[in-house]
Amino acid sequence: MPLSIIHYPHPTLRHKSRPVARVDRRLKSLVDEMLDLMYQHDGVGLAANQVDLPIRLFVANPSGTKGDGEEWVVINPEIDRHKGSEADREGCLSLPGLYGQVKRPRLVRLQGYDLAGKEIKTTLDGFLGRIVQHETDHLDGVLFFDRMTEESRREVEGPLDEFESEFRALVANGTIGSDETLLAQRKEWEDAYT
């Protein structure tokens, strides 16, 4: 079954993703599919749990255009050594059309691995640094509006309520499975890769 982007408040978005223990052909194919989805939806980053995979992995390309810029695939990312702070507007493929000002560290150190198992250890700032923080937050079950000030968050309460109503309607009509079904799917993926 092809991957698709899940929308808030799908429970996998609040699930803390488990570290990836192995990379196989199937996972590499899923990464390719995630990159295609990201470009198709005009995104610059996509975390695995945004496609209902509860594993610690994200893809990114600050250019947002296939064949342009640098593609990043980061497995088991960790960020630390935060320095400075800056606010900027953010959006999210799991909350289409919703944007808000988010204050984040200006500089972070990223550690993780690429698909070939090569260690990534680099310091990032600017737009790529913000993308990496946003996607790593996803893997920890944190959404961008969680990082907004109380005042800014009040501005997005209406749209968040709409997302919640739409989700409840999809669950009620059977388009999205029950919490138990979704939990079983998450466990299946965790068992396969963690």
Side-chain angles (χ1 to χ4, degrees):
M1 189 158 111
L3 297 178
S4 61
I5 295 172
I6 59 174
H7 292 168
Y8 173 81
H10 192 291
T12 302
L13 294 171
R14 291 299 194 180
H15 181 77
K16 187 169 170 69
S17 296
R18 303 244 325 254
V20 174
R22 66 186 186 92
V23 174
D24 59 14
R25 188 177 316 131
R26 183 179 182 202
L27 186 67
K28 290 177 180 178
S29 175
L30 290 169
V31 164
D32 289 341
E33 203 173 336
M34 285 175 64
L35 284 163
D36 288 344
L37 267 176
M38 180 186 77
Y39 294 128
Q40 178 185 338
H41 291 275
D42 300 320
V44 293
L46 187 64
N49 61 346
Q50 289 183 271
V51 292
D52 205 15
L53 301 176
I55 56 176
R56 203 160 179 82
L57 168 128
F58 72 78
V59 298
N61 181 345
S63 81
T65 304
K66 188 174 183 120
D68 186 29
E70 182 179 2
E71 288 183 346
W72 287 69
V73 177
V74 184
I75 298 171
N76 300 333
E78 297 295 335
I79 53 175
D80 63 8
R81 297 191 184 170
H82 308 128
K83 289 187 180 169
S85 69
E86 60 187 9
D88 206 346
R89 187 170 181 252
E90 289 188 24
C92 181
L93 295 178
S94 291
L95 292 139
L98 185 70
Y99 300 92
Q101 284 291 116
V102 180
K103 190 175 188 179
R104 293 193 182 271
R106 185 183 54 75
L107 189 84
V108 294
R109 181 177 69 166
L110 168 67
Q111 296 181 92
Y113 297 89
D114 67 13
L115 270 178
K118 182 179 172 201
E119 186 176 22
I120 297 168
K121 192 181 255 187
T122 186
T123 300
L124 300 169
D125 63 1
F127 190 45
L128 180 57
R130 181 167 290 272
I131 294 168
V132 165
Q133 291 176 70
H134 179 108
E135 302 309 329
T136 303
D137 268 356
H138 268 301
L139 301 177
D140 291 329
V142 177
L143 297 169
F144 81 91
F145 62 81
D146 297 330
R147 302 253 184 227
M148 293 168 67
T149 65
E150 195 173 314
E151 182 181 338
S152 295
R153 178 136 181 204
R154 275 196 296 273
E155 295 173 12
V156 299
E157 283 177 354
L160 290 176
D161 289 345
E162 288 177 33
F163 277 110
E164 290 168 8
S165 295
E166 289 171 15
F167 185 81
R168 283 192 300 272
L170 292 171
V171 170
N173 73 22
T175 303
I176 294 176
S178 67
D179 284 351
E180 294 78 23
T181 303
L182 298 174
L183 182 63
Q185 290 169 344
R186 280 198 303 271
K187 177 143 180 38
E188 181 182 329
W189 282 105
E190 287 174 344
D191 290 347
Y193 288 104
T194 63

